[in-house]
Amino acid sequence: MKVSLFIPCTVDLMMPEIGVAVYRILSHLDTRPVYHSGQTCCGQPLYNAGYRDQAKRAARHFIKVFGDDEYIVSPSGSCVSTVKQHYAELLADEPSWCDRARNISKRMYELSQFIVDVLGITDVGASFEGKVTYHESCHIFRALGISEQPRKLIASVRGAELVELGNATACCGFGGEFSTGFPEISEAMVKAKAVNFINTGADVLLLNEPGCLLNISGYLHRNHPQKRSMHLATFLAENTREFSHA
Amino acid sequence: MHNRVDKFKETARAEMKNELSQAFLLMLSLGAPIMRQIGMSSFPDPAAAEAYGRAIRTESIERLPELLEEFKKNAQAKGAKVIWARDSAEAKASVLDIAKKRGINYITKGKSMVTEEIGLNEHLISNGVDVFETDLGEVITQMLSRAPFHIVGPALNVPPEEISAVFLKRGVIKQPTVNPVELGKAVREYMREKFRYLDMGIVGVNMAVAETGTIINVENEGNIRMNKSSPRTLVAIMSIEKVVPTMADALHMVRILSRNCTGQKLTGYVSMDTGPKKSDEMDGPEELFIIIVDNGRSEIYRDIKVREILKCIRCGACLNACPIYAKIGGYPYGFSYSGPMGQILNPMLLGIEHTSDLFRACTLCGACKKICPAGIDHPSIILEYRARQIKDRKHQTLSARFENNLATCSSLAMSSSMLWNLAVKTVRPLFNSLAEDGYIRDMPFGAKGWFSCRNLRAMPDKTFHEIWKKLNLPNPDDVRKKETL
Amino acid sequence: MSSQVRNEILSKIKSAQRNDPLPRPQLPFLSERALDREQMLERFTAELTSQTGTVYRAKDRKDAERVLSEIAAAEGFKQVIAVGKNLQGIDIKSFGNSNGITVRTLADLKDREALRKAAFAADAGITSADFAIAETGTLGIIFSKDQPRLASIAPPVHIAIVSIEKLYPVYEDAVKQVFGNVNEIPSQFAFITGPSATADIQAISFKGMHGPTKVIVIFIMGQ
Ligand code: SF4
């Protein structure tokens, strides 16, 4: 099965190891990941900031690059949500693009959703001795309604104990431009997230949204350097021995 | 009204340092959604009940023109006097006129958001008609002239010491006390005198029923029922979107509103008034005025992208769900409406250009949309305001022009992987020159706010693009990249 | 003037784009409709009790008078206001005489002023209720010449005497009867669920904000 990777800009530029992990997991699960190197960014930052004309340009590019790929899989819920839930409206006044947007929206998958719902796999073969906890990122949990899937993947990790994060569905305070525009409020929010994480006693905080990860890991690095947060893909890939190193 | 939307950031900062506000915000954000959940789960099928409520609100708004006419016709047939007001000035003038013509010295008021919005109290008082808020929380905020902290608990965070001091000053109590029950009971006694001799009362309207011309109020304290029972003259003020088609719909919405507001299955009192008192009745208003206020709603109605704002039933559930509200409370929003409800409504009432912080202070987390019993999609509306703001101002100031150009440049880079990769190669060394041990801890320009509490990893030597290229994986299907470049 | 304003507002919204609302989903089912009388009574009692209200079951009119006297003695009533169409046949004056309580009925009150004076001075308001709703332990009262509004809101204690025949599962049962005939809609109909309450200061809740502190319901089970 051919799987087309959409590696969001945050991952491409700041955390490429997540992309590598996605590639390794999907190859390990007997799919054939492909990567269109023409891809860039879905335009979410522009769209969210209100730059719609500019976001349209990014959206059209995205649609062109991914063409009629059957499965477009991304390790970011907010990017999937942007394409899936906002492109058609964004391109509403360009009917042929709007149609293509509607069409592509049906082929977009968040990584954990793809593995569990499409591939029907919950156990990727990982093992980890220790306690982990899971943050329900807003766009994954509320916009896409994905929660069971990542939890199943985590629950299948041998040796790992999943402990519940207090207020797990609360926003971590990232919100793109929000984090820099309203730093004090954002800090209060990410701090609450960190405190809840620390209170679980878990060794690692797992999440599957690169934006949240930048925020939370950046906060932890500054304030609690011994605490770790990771993208679920990285966690699964790092803890699955059979993976051939890419 | 305490119209201070321009002070969002500084008020927010102050409130984040206010321990009492923080304590109640924690309680509200953790407790209220649970109470609501318990309330909703008392429905045999909560999802169906919610869906039905949303359908009622959608239909009420889509059919607004004819429902309003039907309501007016039926209310008048029952003897109510219906007055229409285009804006706050007309609404205020009508109320003042009613009071003056009847020689009214003082008025008591049940809680009403629209009267706060139009600044009714200030207008009446400055024209010689005293106004007493009667909802306990509103009594306190009125005496302290403070904006509401929360739509349901407007004075929840006010320290009892402060309440005691202002009550002493106003003669509500003789001896200081910080006991909340004693303070509340003192207001009971104070207001009983007012209710006892009352000639004119003002109430808001939770629902106006088209089919019967009935106005419905929900409350727990009994002050609204006092206002509707004791005086000869009653003025009910509603904005145009309060109407629902039928009594059956109203009952369902009362169930929904109670649960979303306080987690109750039903508020203590639900009073349904159709016309003034009958001639043989001993109490109740001889004259019932219903003032239907537009004040910007018809513009919202015509604005199809934001029309759904009018579905709001002012339950406050979105405040309790909002992670931003949970940190800053109601004051920073600077207007009668706070939280997500205010973030979508205030920009239309006060102007997008004056309310930037309201629709920018949002992470688009979607908690409001998820909880809203009216089915409003707040994040989409907030995104719409952002887009309108950018469109309106992009040529205006130097910095707006610069930001717009920057956005255009990034969009150009986003539409060409060659430019994209070139940009990365250019930015990376500059960016990474700020790093120490692989992390950036501050920045002399740009996204400074990030670094107030966070570090940022330096950009790795290779992007995923570059890693992939180096892997040189067989990827025979990847031909489109040529087409797009 | 006002009609011009009205036309302006209405024509603005009338000329706006119309979207046809989707058809309504199915009306949600209310499980209370299946309750039998005893279950309704239990539900009503449980709900009202949870709001600190009290529910009595009186066998008949005589028994209700006994319950009333007990309450009056326990609460130390000195004066009460009693309204409502014949109060299920209770002899309210003799109840007053035998308990040493001043009872004011509508016959004693000539106008609004007299009513306000009596209602605000009374230790209790005794009223009938037109409906009792099991769903939430709620009273439904139609206000009329026999049933002024203040008697159930001004005194610190509200006692409602209700025939068991008036106990229904859900609000709709009452509203259908009250609003069913357009020509007979009362000036006010109210649902009352327990005493008045607030939690506006420091989230400390207490009963008896502006309305009654106590609500007592006496069901008359037979004739
Ligand atoms: S926007 Fe929705 S949740 Fe918020 S107050 Fe209005 S109806 Fe309630």
Side-chain angles (χ1 to χ4, degrees):
Chain A
M1 177 196 278
K2 192 180 90 171
V3 181
S4 181
L5 302 183
F6 170 49
I7 302 302
C9 56
T10 42
V11 173
D12 183 41
L13 306 179
M14 309 297 294
M15 303 173 285
E17 72 279 3
I18 297 173
V20 174
V22 173
Y23 171 75
R24 285 167 56 191
I25 295 167
L26 289 174
S27 332
H28 173 74
L29 299 178
D30 290 335
T31 68
R32 191 158 53 85
V34 301
Y35 178 76
H36 301 305
S37 49
Q39 66 182 264
T40 56
C41 164
C42 66
Q44 181 189 177
L46 294 171
Y47 179 71
N48 285 356
Y51 292 99
R52 291 214 174 158
D53 291 339
Q54 291 92 333
K56 275 184 195 169
R57 188 176 284 143
R60 285 189 297 253
H61 178 75
F62 184 98
I63 294 170
K64 260 194 273 174
V65 168
F66 287 91
D68 46 16
D69 289 350
E70 205 179 339
Y71 298 106
I72 306 165
V73 176
S74 177
S76 161
S78 62
C79 299
V80 171
S81 158
T82 300
V83 177
K84 216 177 161 62
Q85 300 171 327
H86 297 282
Y87 269 16
E89 208 230 306
L90 177 65
L91 297 164
D93 52 3
E94 300 172 45
S96 75
W97 283 109
C98 183
D99 281 351
R100 291 175 75 177
R102 275 214 189 89
N103 189 286
I104 210 165
S105 79
K106 298 181 198 125
R107 295 176 274 126
M108 294 295 300
Y109 299 88
E110 185 277 329
L111 177 70
S112 68
Q113 174 194 38
F114 179 75
I115 298 174
V116 175
D117 295 351
V118 179
L119 300 181
I121 294 168
T122 50
D123 183 357
V124 302
S127 41
F128 175 84
E129 287 306 318
K131 276 204 248 177
V132 300
T133 189
Y134 176 68
H135 162 62
E136 308 262 12
S137 290
C138 302
H139 284 86
I140 298 190
F141 179 71
R142 275 179 291 270
L144 298 174
I146 296 170
S147 170
E148 289 276 291
Q149 298 93 327
R151 287 173 173 278
K152 280 184 183 157
L153 291 171
I154 298 167
S156 306
V157 176
R158 266 162 292 279
E161 183 196 343
L162 177 61
V163 291
E164 281 307 314
L165 179 68
N167 220 355
T169 61
C171 177
C172 72
F174 175 59
E177 60 162 26
F178 174 83
S179 57
T180 56
F182 300 87
E184 297 90 350
I185 308 176
S186 178
E187 173 173 358
M189 292 163 75
V190 66
K191 183 177 175 191
K193 190 54 74 182
V195 168
N196 278 319
F197 167 37
I198 291 164
N199 287 344
T200 60
D203 303 300
V204 47
L205 171 65
L206 296 177
L207 56 150
N208 33 355
E209 183 65 63
C212 307
L213 185 59
L214 270 184
N215 181 38
I216 297 173
S217 65
Y219 181 85
L220 291 175
H221 188 265
R222 167 84 59 94
N223 301 283
H224 307 278
Q226 72 290 359
K227 292 307 242 180
R228 274 207 310 163
S229 55
M230 277 174 109
H231 194 285
L232 179 58
T234 324
F235 176 78
L236 293 176
E238 270 187 13
N239 294 293
T240 305
R241 227 175 263 140
E242 306 91 79
F243 286 5
S244 57
H245 278 259
Chain B
M1 196 48 234
H2 328 263
N3 192 341
R4 301 317 310 258
V5 272
D6 55 328
K7 296 260 186 293
F8 183 91
K9 284 185 181 170
E10 51 187 282
T11 316
R13 269 181 224 122
E15 279 298 280
M16 281 192 285
K17 294 195 186 101
N18 178 340
E19 276 174 35
L20 213 53
S21 292
Q22 289 301 312
F24 282 99
L25 288 170
L26 194 65
M27 188 196 82
L28 279 169
S29 64
L30 296 180
I34 296 174
M35 300 296 283
R36 174 190 177 274
Q37 190 60 40
I38 294 171
M40 287 301 286
S41 61
S42 66
F43 280 123
D45 182 348
E50 189 164 79
Y52 199 77
R54 289 175 170 185
I56 291 174
R57 283 311 294 155
T58 304
E59 187 183 322
S60 302
I61 295 309
E62 291 307 333
R63 293 179 53 207
L64 186 62
E66 70 255 27
L67 290 178
L68 264 179
E69 282 192 316
E70 189 186 349
F71 170 75
K72 180 217 78 173
K73 190 185 86 209
N74 288 325
Q76 278 176 339
K78 294 293 172 192
K81 293 177 184 148
V82 178
I83 298 173
W84 300 73
R86 267 177 293 227
D87 53 23
S88 61
E90 286 183 358
K92 289 187 284 196
S94 303
V95 181
L96 183 64
D97 183 57
I98 294 168
K100 286 285 185 195
K101 284 208 173 110
R102 285 155 190 79
I104 301 290
N105 297 321
Y106 76 91
I107 289 169
T108 62
K109 248 185 85 201
K111 179 182 180 137
S112 145
M113 297 307 291
V114 68
T115 60
E116 290 187 29
E117 170 191 326
I118 65 176
L120 180 64
N121 292 3
E122 293 82 349
H123 185 72
L124 291 173
I125 292 168
S126 65
N127 284 283
V129 180
D130 218 351
V131 182
F132 296 91
E133 290 288 347
T134 55
D135 171 271
L136 180 58
E138 298 282 335
V139 171
I140 297 166
T141 49
Q142 185 191 21
M143 287 185 181
L144 292 169
S145 26
R146 196 166 293 179
F149 176 70
H150 186 277
I151 184 171
V152 182
L156 217 44
N157 64 328
V158 180
E161 293 76 10
E162 217 176 316
I163 301 173
S164 175
V166 74
F167 280 8
L168 268 175
K169 206 168 95 193
R170 298 298 177 97
V172 180
I173 50 176
K174 302 257 148 34
Q175 295 300 319
T177 172
V178 293
N179 180 324
V181 181
E182 285 174 18
L183 288 166
K185 293 283 183 182
V187 170
R188 173 190 170 93
E189 291 314 314
Y190 182 78
M191 288 301 164
R192 276 178 85 75
E193 278 305 292
K194 311 271 183 259
F195 289 136
R196 162 77 178 80
Y197 299 101
L198 189 62
D199 287 323
M200 174 168 160
I202 298 179
V203 296
V205 173
N206 289 103
M207 273 157 239
V209 183
E211 152 186 75
T212 53
T214 304
I215 53 168
I216 300 183
N217 290 83
V218 302
E219 54 154 343
N220 282 312
E221 293 191 359
N223 56 318
I224 295 180
R225 279 195 63 214
M226 286 286 203
N227 274 300
K228 282 175 151 189
S229 303
S230 183
R232 286 169 199 279
T233 305
L234 178 65
V235 177
I237 306 187
M238 59 180 265
S239 45
I240 60 173
E241 75 275 21
K242 291 289 169 190
V243 64
V244 294
T246 65
M247 277 304 295
D249 293 337
L251 286 184
H252 185 73
M253 289 321 291
V254 164
R255 287 191 180 98
I256 292 278
L257 177 60
S258 302
R259 284 165 172 86
N260 278 280
C261 204
T262 53
Q264 290 171 286
K265 285 193 275 192
L266 190 69
T267 55
Y269 301 110
V270 180
S271 48
M272 299 159 247
D273 290 55
T274 316
K277 81 175 189 68
K278 307 258 150 84
S279 57
D280 57 4
E281 282 181 72
M282 293 182 75
D283 60 5
E286 285 159 14
E287 295 178 293
L288 170 64
F289 293 93
I290 300 176
I291 302 186
I292 304 180
V293 187
D294 180 344
N295 207 34
R297 268 69 171 183
S298 55
E299 285 305 321
I300 300 178
Y301 193 79
R302 294 170 66 82
D303 191 337
I304 205 81
K305 291 219 159 135
V306 300
R307 178 184 285 178
E308 59 173 319
I309 297 170
L310 299 177
K311 295 197 277 187
C312 175
I313 57 170
R314 308 274 186 267
C315 69
C318 58
L319 279 64
N320 305 330
C322 176
I324 317 285
Y325 176 89
K327 298 296 173 208
I328 63 175
Y331 298 154
Y333 303 84
F335 196 53
S336 331
Y337 309 103
S338 64
M341 167 187 61
Q343 288 173 286
I344 58 172
L345 184 55
N346 299 352
M348 291 308 286
L349 297 178
L350 306 170
I352 284 180
E353 66 281 20
H354 299 124
T355 46
S356 177
D357 282 341
L358 295 194
F359 53 81
R360 296 273 161 193
C362 172
T363 63
L364 306 170
C365 81
C368 44
K369 172 184 174 181
K370 181 145 201 236
I371 209 163
C372 177
I376 297 172
D377 184 348
H378 311 67
S380 290
I381 297 171
I382 284 172
L383 285 169
E384 179 65 25
Y385 293 151
R386 291 181 183 179
R388 288 184 189 183
Q389 181 191 41
I390 296 298
K391 209 169 161 197
D392 292 347
R393 74 157 193 211
K394 68 181 171 205
H395 306 298
Q396 280 171 6
T397 64
L398 207 58
S399 73
R401 230 178 298 162
F402 174 74
E403 280 167 24
N404 194 58
N405 291 342
L406 201 65
T408 306
C409 290
S410 25
S411 79
L412 286 169
M414 285 175 195
S415 54
S416 150
S417 68
M418 194 189 72
L419 278 180
W420 177 260
N421 291 318
L422 190 71
V424 172
K425 287 208 177 79
T426 322
V427 169
R428 183 158 47 202
L430 193 72
F431 190 81
N432 284 356
S433 67
L434 301 165
E436 237 174 81
D437 321 324
Y439 277 85
I440 303 169
R441 289 172 175 78
D442 200 0
M443 223 179 230
F445 52 84
K448 233 184 142 29
W450 177 272
F451 298 96
S452 62
C453 73
R454 283 164 287 235
N455 296 339
L456 188 63
R457 219 169 74 171
M459 282 167 78
D461 294 340
K462 289 204 161 41
T463 61
F464 186 78
H465 266 102
E466 293 163 317
I467 296 174
W468 185 271
K469 213 157 142 202
K470 215 169 138 221
L471 283 177
N472 205 10
L473 288 160
N475 202 351
D477 306 284
D478 192 10
V479 286
R480 253 184 316 276
K481 67 178 177 189
K482 291 193 189 72
E483 165 203 322
T484 57
L485 282 179
Chain C
M1 167 63 188
S2 190
S3 74
Q4 185 199 326
V5 176
R6 180 190 72 221
N7 290 339
E8 200 180 308
I9 295 172
L10 286 175
S11 67
K12 261 171 103 179
I13 56 177
K14 271 187 204 159
S15 60
Q17 181 185 324
R18 291 289 301 248
N19 303 323
D20 282 332
L22 296 170
R24 290 272 183 97
Q26 212 182 339
L27 192 68
F29 150 83
L30 295 167
S31 51
E32 289 84 0
R33 290 201 201 271
L35 301 179
D36 65 24
R37 178 167 288 173
E38 185 52 36
Q39 288 168 325
M40 281 196 283
L41 197 49
E42 276 170 24
R43 173 70 176 269
F44 183 97
T45 307
E47 291 286 340
L48 187 57
T49 310
S50 77
Q51 300 302 320
T52 75
T54 317
V55 179
Y56 292 91
R57 301 181 186 197
K59 280 200 292 294
D60 51 21
R61 177 175 58 78
K62 274 266 153 261
D63 198 27
E65 286 171 17
R66 176 191 60 80
V67 173
L68 260 186
S69 303
E70 277 177 27
I71 297 168
E75 299 283 336
F77 294 151
K78 302 234 158 27
Q79 45 181 324
V80 304
I81 177 168
V83 301
K85 227 178 204 157
N86 83 17
L87 281 178
Q88 312 307 321
I90 285 173
D91 187 346
I92 200 73
K93 285 282 181 188
S94 94
F95 149 80
N97 290 338
S98 54
N99 291 284
I101 298 169
T102 311
V103 177
R104 290 196 179 82
T105 65
L106 290 177
D108 309 314
L109 306 169
K110 64 176 198 311
D111 59 11
R112 179 189 298 263
E113 259 329 289
L115 170 67
R116 292 210 285 196
K117 192 171 175 204
F120 278 92
D123 301 317
I126 301 173
T127 75
S128 59
D130 302 280
F131 303 92
I133 310 292
E135 183 173 350
T136 42
T138 297
L139 297 168
I141 302 186
I142 297 171
F143 296 103
S144 66
K145 72 175 197 315
D146 304 307
Q147 186 78 274
R149 305 177 185 195
L150 282 169
S152 57
I153 189 73
V157 178
H158 174 207
I159 303 173
I161 298 170
V162 198
S163 158
I164 193 67
E165 305 294 325
K166 301 285 184 190
L167 179 59
Y168 294 91
V170 292
Y171 317 134
E172 281 76 357
D173 298 307
V175 164
K176 255 189 216 130
Q177 293 182 47
V178 179
F179 292 84
N181 182 344
V182 198
N183 298 314
E184 284 169 19
I185 299 176
S187 68
Q188 190 181 71
F189 177 62
F191 284 135
I192 299 173
T193 311
S196 73
T198 191
D200 273 357
I201 301 180
Q202 303 284 292
I204 303 295
S205 56
F206 65 88
K207 302 293 180 188
M209 187 50 227
H210 295 287
T213 306
K214 288 184 182 169
V215 169
I216 299 166
V217 176
I218 304 174
F219 280 110
I220 301 190
M221 307 297 290
Q223 283 322 298

